[in-house]
Amino acid sequence: METIGWREWGALPELGVDAIKMKVDTGAKTSCLHAFRLEPFERDGAPWLRIWLHPEQDSDREHVCEAPIADQREVTDSGGHTELRYVIRSHLQLGAFAEPIELTLTNRDTMKFRMLLGRQAMRGKFVVDPQSSFLLGQPVTGAHS
């Protein structure tokens, strides 16, 4: 298993996000991606979602992408608030790891990190060193802070 720090750089190439800073969150079951606007629509009879992101911290730069809706489920955040969230699947590139993961979508404008990497995505693949950061380096495509 590969060791990762409490925060890492990753990419979501299917969503067109070449660099995103993630907080590694062993307290979260599912990974979560910041989305400040969501627009459901149908494509070929299947439910899809148009997603507006701010992929960089401290930036209002908008990125719009689309993904099929995998599910909708209630998620309880660390403050104990329950919210019905859309769930999508997308490949995560994290060092040599490149596999599909589930992501719930919610507005994280008030949070420092635009993405949380949860236990389901890490299980059996990574060990977390809580004293370290960015052990896998930055994505080669050019990262934003």
Side-chain angles (χ1 to χ4, degrees), residues 3-8 24 128-136:
T3 300
I4 58 176
W6 73 271
R7 56 187 173 168
E8 290 290 342
V24 175
V128 180
D129 177 353
Q131 296 183 64
S132 298
S133 295
F134 309 121
L135 294 177
L136 303 182

Side-chain angles (χ1 to χ4, degrees), residues 36-70:
F36 67 90
R37 181 176 167 202
L38 300 170
E39 183 180 284
F41 67 98
E42 275 195 17
R43 177 173 289 157
D44 299 324
W48 277 65
L49 203 55
R50 191 164 291 114
I51 306 160
W52 280 259
L53 310 170
H54 293 138
E56 296 113 21
Q57 289 176 221
D58 305 318
S59 171
D60 287 335
R61 184 182 75 81
E62 293 183 9
H63 175 75
V64 182
C65 54
E66 297 176 348
I69 297 171

Side-chain angles (χ1 to χ4, degrees), residues 8-142:
E8 290 290 342
W9 281 103
L12 300 165
E14 291 173 321
L15 301 180
V17 177
D18 62 357
I20 190 163
K21 198 182 290 184
M22 300 176 290
K23 179 180 179 185
V24 175
D25 188 351
T26 60
K29 180 179 177 184
T30 309
S31 300
C32 178
L33 180 64
H34 165 69
F36 67 90
R37 181 176 167 202
L38 300 170
E39 183 180 284
F41 67 98
E42 275 195 17
R43 177 173 289 157
D44 299 324
W48 277 65
L49 203 55
R50 191 164 291 114
I51 306 160
W52 280 259
L53 310 170
H54 293 138
E56 296 113 21
Q57 289 176 221
D58 305 318
S59 171
D60 287 335
R61 184 182 75 81
E62 293 183 9
H63 175 75
V64 182
C65 54
E66 297 176 348
I69 297 171
D71 196 6
Q72 269 191 294
R73 65 179 74 122
E74 288 191 345
V75 176
T76 303
D77 66 21
S78 59
H81 307 100
T82 300
E83 173 186 39
L84 184 62
R85 294 185 189 173
Y86 284 104
V87 180
I88 62 169
R89 289 188 184 92
S90 183
H91 273 80
L92 169 66
Q93 180 73 47
L94 179 57
F97 176 84
E99 291 185 21
I101 65 167
E102 281 193 343
L103 292 158
T104 65
L105 303 171
T106 193
N107 190 320
R108 295 183 52 81
D109 268 336
T110 61
M111 306 302 231
K112 186 172 180 181
F113 290 88
R114 298 300 188 202
M115 183 174 161
L116 294 180
L117 184 64
R119 289 191 311 273
Q120 283 181 331
M122 292 185 273
R123 187 172 291 134
K125 299 165 186 79
F126 299 107
V127 174
V128 180
D129 177 353
Q131 296 183 64
S132 298
S133 295
F134 309 121
L135 294 177
L136 303 182
Q138 290 191 0
V140 291
T141 51

